[in-house]
Amino acid sequence: MNHDEHYSDDYIEGILAAARVFAFVGASANKSRPSYFAMKYLLGKGYIVHPVNPGQAGKEILGRLAYTTIADLPAPVDVIDIFRNSDDALDVTRQAIAEKDRLGIKVIWMQIGVRNDTAAAEAEAAGLQVVMNRCPKIEYGRLSGEISWAGVNSRTISSRRPKLAGFGVQNQVLRDRD
């Protein structure tokens, strides 16, 4: 896949609709960090999120037990979400590839500002989908229409009624997860 181009909405939505469990590598307990509020958002959408941070291992972040490494995670994990710098993404990706069969990993997702073409090539060669320089929280909000509530252009024009979740106030969902 050419990661220089714009990812199709179907590609991103397919990943977010099929995924049930994320592992946030580089998760933070600091409430002002992007990983914290992305994790909080996805938990609110019904995903299971495992924080991975050796400095927080054994402690809880948003009520979820933090793990030291990907190798310590319980199965299943659908998406490895990398909140580390671009150089570290290769090592994290290699750890994920080593554990992909045990955990059932399907996707390597690199956060905004994180891009590593070698990691992407190795992940794709191992049969994983890859997203770089994107945030699942932002993409979920954009694709569900929630982000437009804040005046952000979602680049989508539709007369389709939004799907509402069975909980929360104005809690929109992408589509029914498989």
Side-chain angles (χ1 to χ4, degrees), residues 7 12-13 15-16 22 24 33-42 47 79-83 107-115 130-144 147 155 174:
Y7 296 103
I12 299 293
E13 186 175 1
I15 290 169
L16 294 173
F22 280 74
F24 275 29
R33 301 291 299 170
S35 64
Y36 185 90
F37 50 81
M39 184 173 163
K40 184 174 183 174
Y41 181 87
L42 291 181
Y47 292 98
V79 180
I80 299 294
D81 191 352
I82 303 173
F83 278 92
V107 180
I108 298 294
W109 191 302
M110 298 179 212
Q111 277 295 322
I112 293 174
V114 181
R115 181 184 175 112
V130 176
V131 177
M132 294 193 290
N133 195 28
R134 297 280 187 279
C135 175
K137 174 194 178 297
I138 292 170
E139 294 300 313
Y140 191 105
R142 182 180 68 79
L143 293 168
S144 71
I147 202 166
R155 300 187 322 259
L174 292 173

Side-chain angles (χ1 to χ4, degrees), residues 161-178:
R161 286 184 178 214
K163 286 184 163 262
L164 298 177
F167 55 89
V169 177
Q170 295 182 342
N171 193 6
Q172 292 180 313
V173 296
L174 292 173
R175 61 181 173 184
D176 294 329
R177 286 193 239 158
D178 302 332

Side-chain angles (χ1 to χ4, degrees), residues 46-119:
Y47 292 98
I48 296 168
V49 184
H50 298 301
V52 178
N53 180 329
Q56 295 294 318
K59 300 175 186 173
E60 288 189 356
I61 301 174
L62 288 165
R64 303 293 303 165
L65 180 66
Y67 296 89
T68 305
T69 67
I70 292 171
D72 298 324
L73 290 168
V77 173
D78 300 307
V79 180
I80 299 294
D81 191 352
I82 303 173
F83 278 92
R84 302 288 307 273
N85 67 43
S86 295
D87 293 334
D88 290 343
L90 180 58
D91 183 50
V92 172
T93 299
R94 287 178 175 162
Q95 290 174 39
I97 291 168
E99 297 293 330
K100 83 177 183 79
D101 293 331
R102 181 181 71 82
L103 294 174
I105 298 167
K106 297 169 192 70
V107 180
I108 298 294
W109 191 302
M110 298 179 212
Q111 277 295 322
I112 293 174
V114 181
R115 181 184 175 112
N116 188 309
D117 293 317
T118 303

